[in-house]
Amino acid sequence: MAIERTLSIIKPDGVEKGVIGKVIARFEEQGLKPIAIRLTQLSKADAEGFYAVHKARSFFADLVKFMTSGPVVLMVLEGEGAVAKNREIMGATDPAKAAPGTLRKDFATNIEKNTVHGSDSLENAKVEVSYFFPEVQIHSYQWKK
Ligand code: IDP
Ligand code: MG
């Protein structure tokens, strides 16, 4: 499988619950390397632009409000099949439907406050990574372990 990059976000509920380290540990333990990390607070324009595909959905305004309600951690993850692997580690959107051992099963509050975002395709991953990270802020490296 090819080495891919994907965008991960630890959402405001994850930061508030104090699980930044636990989330990143799951990624590292399962073969995904953080190659860019930034803690920030999204503006309304940032969140609206990022979730533009959902702007017709009933939950859009609430989602933007939630995503701007506190700090988030933006990350680029790199690894074999990183896009699908990240989605697997995250679990289903609704934590009630998420598989045991997934981030959303273990940490999410509900279908909105679901702790993590992950790009859903390689094509979207490229768009989402470049939405937040210029190439000069991304640094690949090899593990020696
Ligand atoms: P995903 O994050 O698993 O890819 P999407 O369908 O892309 O799920 O939805 C984006 C985000 O919008 C979700 O992660 C969640 O925070 C929020 N969301 C999705 N569906 C609902 C809903 O039915 N009610 C409230 N919020 C939702
Ligand atoms: Mg999505």
Side-chain angles (χ1 to χ4, degrees):
M1 208 184 287
I3 300 292
E4 298 172 353
R5 291 177 177 185
T6 191
L7 186 83
S8 170
I9 305 177
I10 304 176
K11 297 184 181 186
D13 67 302
V15 173
E16 274 183 356
K17 286 166 189 151
V19 296
I20 295 172
K22 286 183 178 161
V23 170
I24 294 176
R26 297 247 183 129
F27 293 139
E28 289 189 319
E29 284 159 11
Q30 291 173 79
L32 295 180
K33 282 177 204 156
I35 58 168
I37 304 183
R38 181 163 85 248
L39 184 137
T40 188
Q41 184 147 355
L42 301 181
S43 68
K44 189 162 178 266
D46 289 334
E48 284 175 349
F50 183 73
Y51 280 120
V53 292
H54 294 306
K55 65 173 181 276
R57 308 284 286 276
S58 58
F59 58 79
F60 181 72
D62 284 343
L63 177 60
V64 168
K65 203 168 161 193
F66 163 56
M67 289 300 289
T68 57
S69 66
V72 296
V73 177
L74 306 172
M75 282 183 282
V76 181
L77 301 176
E78 185 179 74
E80 289 209 357
V83 174
K85 189 177 283 181
N86 182 35
R87 297 288 303 193
E88 209 179 288
I89 295 168
M90 288 163 57
T93 309
D94 180 353
K97 295 177 183 155
T102 60
L103 290 169
R104 283 165 163 173
K105 181 72 175 184
D106 292 344
F107 302 126
T109 300
N110 56 39
I111 194 169
E112 179 192 67
K113 295 176 176 58
N114 59 7
T115 314
V116 278
H117 167 86
S119 310
D120 64 3
S121 69
L122 191 54
E123 193 189 351
N124 286 339
K126 285 178 181 155
V127 174
E128 292 183 357
V129 165
S130 64
Y131 190 81
F132 288 120
F133 291 99
E135 193 60 37
V136 292
Q137 289 179 10
I138 302 173
H139 302 282
S140 273
Y141 52 89
Q142 296 305 313
W143 274 326
K144 291 177 188 158
K145 57 177 190 174

